[in-house]
Amino acid sequence: MLSGIIIVILIIIVILLIVYNVMINKRMQEFKSTDQKIKSLSVLQEFMSTIGEAETVDNKIKKINNILIEQFDIKYSTIVVFDGAEYVIKATNVNEKHWDTMKNLQSEEIFQDSITTATPKYVTVNNEQERLPYQKLELGRAKSAMFFPLYIDNIYIGYWIIESGQPHAYDSIDTTILEVVRDNIVSALKTVSYQSTIESLPRKDLYSELTTAEYLYGKGKDIIDKYPISTVCMFRITNLEKINQEANRETGNNVIKKVSSFVRESISSEYLFVRYMGPKFVIVFSGIDIDGANGFLQDLKNNIENLKIDIANNEEQKNKKDKNKLTYVVPKINIVLTTYYKGTAIESLNKKLEEYLDEAPKDENQINEI
């Protein structure tokens, strides 16, 4: 009788312990899930912070990849994007000798279904002597990998792949969290793609040998935004059209070259100087207020308007009577400047300056603040 009671008590204790262990395990899973969500949120916050930094697109993507490696303790992480012509490694910590393999994984049969169905693909080996199907020269580098195809608006743009040096490293990993991270990578790539477009727009102007205005909206803005305020100056060669008519267009082109060269040699390398459009140019005095720029501009204006630029000897000038022949021209400029505040839209500011110069009287020839 006593032994039966003891057995019943032991059974009850065992049941209670099982229930307790189940509850503890459930609680641990909840804590683990919460911790993963917190980590995922932290990663997203770091992504957003990186996107907002004054860096080039390539540097931002590399920083994002480094965040993934550090936060999720990933051995190898590689982001590959199709640039319209070929697949390009945007970020990786894999040795460069393996890059040809890593940027051509979309051609591997093992990942074709993953790309077609937009689902992750997990591959691993069972022992140290085996190698992953896509590996060529990397026998000892990676033994497990997870491949995530990347899509923007249902269009395949590339992939993110993580690798481990251990077999079966990702057997029990929560892919839901990694898919959230994958989505965050796509969001980041989508955001920086607009910046990438802006960075690819600037060109060298043929006559002035200056970069075009688009430079100010990409890499130029990163330089300007190192300072809380700067002064933006736009000037117009007001008599350029007249020079083209009374002399010739070749002389007008020479005026653009001479004025551009003179300004470029006169300003500090810390300041930005671009050809905005036609006879209009922009100087950005990074970190300088209007008062600091005004005196310099007055001297610059005086010096430009003392330039004597020889007439280009073309047939049009040769055929003119001696009394109508020009021997040189003198450029005249109208200047407008304003304050730029870090983080604001410099393109809107330039539009405002351009409107002022376009609406100003043709003979206006001074320095204006707006």
Side-chain angles (χ1 to χ4, degrees):
M1 181 71 178
L2 181 61
S3 61
I5 294 172
I6 292 173
I7 291 172
V8 170
I9 292 172
L10 288 173
I11 291 173
I12 292 171
I13 291 173
V14 169
I15 292 172
L16 289 173
L17 287 172
I18 291 172
V19 171
Y20 177 76
N21 284 336
V22 169
M23 291 176 63
I24 290 295
N25 185 60
K26 183 178 179 181
R27 184 63 60 85
M28 288 179 67
Q29 290 299 322
E30 289 175 352
F31 282 139
K32 183 178 179 181
S33 176
T34 301
D35 180 64
Q36 287 176 327
K37 289 177 181 177
I38 291 172
K39 182 177 286 188
S40 181
L41 179 60
S42 173
V43 168
L44 178 57
Q45 289 174 330
E46 289 194 55
F47 275 18
M48 294 301 102
S49 176
T50 299
I51 289 171
E53 290 178 358
E55 291 277 1
T56 63
V57 167
D58 287 344
N59 283 342
K60 287 179 181 180
I61 297 175
K62 288 173 184 174
K63 282 191 175 183
I64 285 170
N65 198 50
N66 289 336
I67 291 168
L68 296 172
I69 292 167
E70 293 170 9
Q71 290 287 347
F72 292 97
D73 195 25
I74 296 170
K75 179 70 173 176
Y76 301 108
S77 176
T78 302
I79 299 173
V80 177
V81 176
F82 185 66
D83 68 357
E86 61 180 345
Y87 286 86
V88 178
I89 292 179
K90 288 295 185 180
T92 187
N93 62 332
V94 174
N95 190 290
E96 190 172 353
K97 67 182 180 180
H98 304 306
W99 285 9
D100 281 342
T101 297
M102 299 307 295
K103 70 179 182 181
N104 288 297
L105 296 183
Q106 76 286 341
S107 302
E108 296 291 333
E109 184 178 352
I110 194 169
F111 297 125
Q112 292 299 307
D113 286 345
S114 175
I115 294 171
T116 302
T117 60
T119 55
K121 177 70 175 182
Y122 175 37
V123 292
T124 188
V125 297
N126 293 314
N127 58 65
E128 294 291 340
Q129 284 68 48
E130 294 182 75
R131 70 178 180 182
L132 296 173
Y134 63 85
Q135 291 180 323
K136 305 294 188 292
L137 306 172
E138 311 146 89
L139 298 181
R141 187 179 66 82
K143 298 299 179 183
S144 301
M146 287 204 73
F147 178 93
F148 297 88
L150 304 177
Y151 284 79
I152 291 180
D153 299 331
N154 296 320
I155 298 174
Y156 174 67
I157 62 157
Y159 50 88
W160 170 45
I161 183 169
I162 60 174
E163 300 170 293
S164 170
Q166 301 298 320
H168 298 280
Y170 304 127
D171 285 4
S172 58
I173 197 167
D174 185 351
T175 57
T176 304
I177 296 297
L178 288 178
E179 286 178 24
V180 171
V181 174
R182 186 249 346 249
D183 293 341
N184 291 340
I185 292 173
V186 170
S187 297
L189 289 173
K190 190 173 182 178
T191 302
V192 299
S193 68
Y194 300 114
Q195 180 185 343
S196 180
T197 301
I198 292 295
E199 287 180 0
S200 66
L201 289 176
R203 296 288 186 271
K204 280 281 187 181
D205 177 62
L206 177 62
Y207 297 110
S208 66
E209 296 184 355
L210 301 173
T211 50
T212 53
E214 291 82 7
Y215 178 77
L216 296 177
Y217 312 139
K219 292 182 180 179
K221 195 170 191 297
D222 294 340
I223 297 171
I224 301 166
D225 279 350
K226 291 178 181 178
Y227 306 91
I229 66 165
S230 298
T231 297
V232 180
C233 154
M234 184 179 291
F235 71 86
R236 176 186 179 121
I237 304 175
T238 57
N239 60 339
L240 184 62
E241 293 90 342
K242 187 177 179 181
I243 291 170
N244 286 338
Q245 291 171 358
E246 295 185 355
N248 49 62
R249 186 165 291 276
E250 188 177 350
T251 301
N253 292 338
N254 287 340
V255 168
I256 291 172
K257 292 177 183 178
K258 295 287 186 181
V259 170
S260 301
S261 177
F262 183 82
V263 175
R264 188 170 53 242
E265 292 172 4
S266 299
I267 64 175
S268 167
S269 59
E270 296 176 7
Y271 305 147
L272 307 184
F273 180 38
V274 301
R275 186 174 186 185
Y276 186 76
M277 188 182 296
K280 295 184 284 284
F281 299 79
V282 171
I283 307 172
V284 181
F285 298 93
S286 310
I288 303 297
D289 60 21
I290 282 185
D291 290 339
N294 210 318
F296 172 82
L297 286 171
Q298 187 61 63
D299 290 339
L300 184 68
K301 181 178 184 300
N302 292 337
N303 289 328
I304 288 174
E305 294 182 346
N306 280 322
L307 292 174
K308 293 182 178 181
I309 300 168
D310 293 336
I311 298 295
N313 291 318
N314 67 358
E315 290 301 319
E316 185 181 342
Q317 280 295 317
K318 288 178 182 178
N319 293 332
K320 285 186 177 181
K321 295 179 180 179
D322 289 342
K323 64 177 182 179
N324 294 327
K325 283 186 178 179
L326 296 173
T327 56
Y328 65 86
V329 293
V330 176
K332 298 291 182 183
I333 63 173
N334 195 26
I335 299 175
V336 60
L337 64 160
T338 192
T339 300
Y340 166 79
Y341 296 94
K342 178 180 178 179
T344 57
I346 193 169
E347 60 274 19
S348 299
L349 203 63
N350 284 338
K351 191 66 179 174
K352 182 174 151 186
L353 298 177
E354 181 183 23
E355 287 173 357
Y356 177 89
L357 290 177
D358 287 346
E359 294 171 5
K362 295 295 183 183
D363 59 347
E364 184 176 279
N365 178 35
Q366 57 192 36
I367 298 176
N368 312 276
E369 295 180 15
I370 60 173

